[in-house]
Amino acid sequence: MQQSLKERLIYTLQEKTVDRAPCLSVTQTGTVELMDIAGAAWPEAHLDPEKMAALALAGHKIAGLEAVRYPYCLTVLAEAMGCSVRMGTKDIPPSVLTHPYSIGPEHLSFPEDLLHKGRIPTVLKATEILEDRIRKDTENEVPLIAGMEGPVTVLTHLAEVKNCLIWTIRKPEYFNAFMEICTDICIEYANALFDYGADVISMPDGGIIGSKMIPPSILENSIKPFYKRLCKKVKGPKILHICGDIKSSLKTLSECGFDAISIEEKVSIKAAKEAIGDRSRLIGNVSPSRTLLFGTPDAVKAEAKQCLSDGVDILAPGCGIAPWTPLANIRTLVDARNEWYDEKN
């Protein structure tokens, strides 16, 4: 019996047998072509729950990806915690402008009304809209993937990267104090997303991990314990995405409790599989720039098939899809996956 798209993803995350690897994106999916087709463009789609939902659905219905993934930036929690955010343009995502806690954590506290701040209500409403529309699609149940910042990203937005790096060496108590509250913020928000209908949480995080600007001891002693607490407290499937060459960090990250880890093309799939063992599923890692943005459908097909041959559990772009990525290249991902299984059989 053929599995639904939702079953295929959830079973993969649970290490159950599936008929074929899911083909989707756990990172941002908004492109200019999809915005034009859906009538839902940035920056409005960051602010209006109906447009946010419409653009997210287009990633599945028009581009063919086997999940609905939203929103399209990593600034929602930062804004809710007091950062000023530039909302960007049709092809430029939002970015953080100010870092209100750059001098330290003394005045940082967990806001009791977190879920009512900034754009959090917008994302929760979009979740509700998407869950309702997907539920009505009885022929093909589609998984709903909610993206959100992880605690390291929230920390770097609140305090700025350079301060975080200095504190890991000179004031580790500052770093740990931030991680404590930022982790609690992420837990609260993630569980709210599940309450509103999300099936899976995708958490891009840890740019400073992927950049290798911190020593392994910081990952082991000052990040891993908070990741483990987050994984224990969040009440649904969790995916971690980290950019950069994280090969040397994968074993530690796979011990935190994430159901899957998403990697970019800088990391060898075979090396990553060896590092994480059976502790987590592996997602990736078709190049979003070299191949999806600038390549041809044939190049996309070749790289996607290689990812599957190397043993990836979920076929996906290695990072967020660039806004000017051709729609034809995104559609080719599923075609490549299907061809690979046909050739294999």
Side-chain angles (χ1 to χ4, degrees):
M1 182 177 179
Q2 186 176 5
Q3 295 163 339
S4 73
L5 301 183
K6 182 175 177 179
E7 288 173 333
R8 188 179 287 158
L9 175 59
I10 298 301
Y11 288 176
T12 299
L13 295 176
Q14 295 173 342
E15 206 177 0
K16 295 180 180 179
T17 300
V18 293
D19 54 349
R20 57 189 55 203
C23 180
L24 45 83
S25 177
V26 299
T27 49
Q28 101 78 21
T29 59
T31 69
V32 171
E33 282 185 270
L34 290 177
M35 293 176 204
D36 290 341
I37 293 169
W42 297 351
E44 291 82 5
H46 302 305
L47 303 164
D48 182 321
E50 287 285 352
K51 290 186 177 182
M52 183 180 291
L55 182 56
L57 284 169
H60 166 63
K61 292 185 175 182
I62 306 300
L65 297 170
E66 296 180 336
V68 173
R69 202 280 190 190
Y70 68 108
Y72 317 101
C73 76
L74 294 176
T75 63
V76 173
L77 289 176
E79 184 181 45
M81 291 300 295
C83 295
S84 296
V85 173
R86 179 190 290 118
M87 293 311 301
T89 65
K90 188 175 182 178
D91 60 354
I92 299 176
S95 56
V96 169
L97 295 174
T98 62
H99 310 282
Y101 297 95
S102 57
I103 62 172
E106 290 88 349
H107 302 292
L108 179 66
S109 61
F110 185 95
E112 293 183 3
D113 59 344
L114 174 69
L115 300 181
H116 300 282
K117 287 183 170 291
R119 281 174 288 141
I120 289 179
T122 299
V123 181
L124 295 179
K125 181 62 179 178
T127 307
E128 198 171 50
I129 293 168
L130 287 165
E131 195 275 337
D132 181 64
R133 292 179 185 171
I134 289 170
R135 182 164 44 82
K136 291 176 180 176
D137 184 2
T138 56
E139 288 188 13
N140 201 11
E141 194 176 8
V142 183
L144 182 56
I145 301 177
M148 58 172 286
E149 309 98 300
V152 177
T153 299
V154 179
L155 192 167
T156 55
H157 283 159
L158 294 180
E160 200 171 7
V161 170
K162 66 178 182 180
N163 292 323
C164 298
L165 296 175
I166 291 170
W167 293 339
T168 60
I169 298 170
R170 298 181 181 177
K171 294 185 176 181
E173 69 277 11
Y174 274 24
F175 189 89
N176 291 336
F178 270 104
M179 283 297 294
E180 182 81 32
I181 291 179
C182 291
T183 299
D184 287 341
I185 290 166
C186 290
I187 292 169
E188 177 89 0
Y189 182 42
N191 284 332
L193 289 165
F194 281 119
D195 288 342
Y196 275 75
D199 296 306
V200 177
I201 293 297
S202 174
M203 197 180 80
D205 198 33
I208 60 175
I209 298 173
S211 66
K212 298 184 177 180
M213 290 187 287
I214 60 170
S217 59
I218 298 299
L219 176 61
E220 182 68 33
N221 300 321
S222 296
I223 295 177
K224 181 180 178 181
F226 293 104
Y227 274 178
K228 291 181 73 172
R229 179 155 67 85
L230 182 146
C231 288
K232 185 176 181 180
K233 295 288 186 179
V234 172
K235 55 187 178 184
K238 299 157 289 290
I239 293 169
L240 176 69
H241 171 82
I242 296 185
C243 295
D245 185 356
I246 60 168
K247 177 184 174 183
S248 61
S249 303
L250 276 170
K251 182 178 183 298
T252 299
L253 294 171
S254 70
E255 295 168 345
C256 295
F258 293 101
D259 299 278
I261 297 175
S262 166
I263 59 172
E264 67 164 74
E265 68 274 14
K266 290 179 182 177
V267 185
S268 156
I269 290 173
K270 291 181 178 179
K273 292 284 284 186
E274 183 177 349
I276 68 176
D278 61 359
R279 292 181 294 275
S280 187
R281 310 291 76 70
L282 189 66
I283 302 175
N285 64 347
V286 177
S287 171
S289 55
R290 181 189 67 243
T291 308
L292 286 172
L293 177 59
F294 295 115
T296 63
D298 285 344
V300 173
K301 192 170 289 187
E303 189 167 331
K305 289 181 179 181
Q306 188 62 53
C307 289
L308 292 164
S309 296
D310 288 343
V312 76
D313 298 301
I314 296 173
L315 180 65
C319 196
I321 299 174
W324 287 103
T325 298
L327 180 56
N329 282 357
I330 303 174
R331 286 174 169 161
T332 298
L333 286 170
V334 173
D335 293 339
R337 190 276 315 274
N338 292 340
E339 283 186 16
W340 187 82
Y341 276 91
D342 290 343
E343 293 164 0
K344 181 181 176 184
N345 295 328

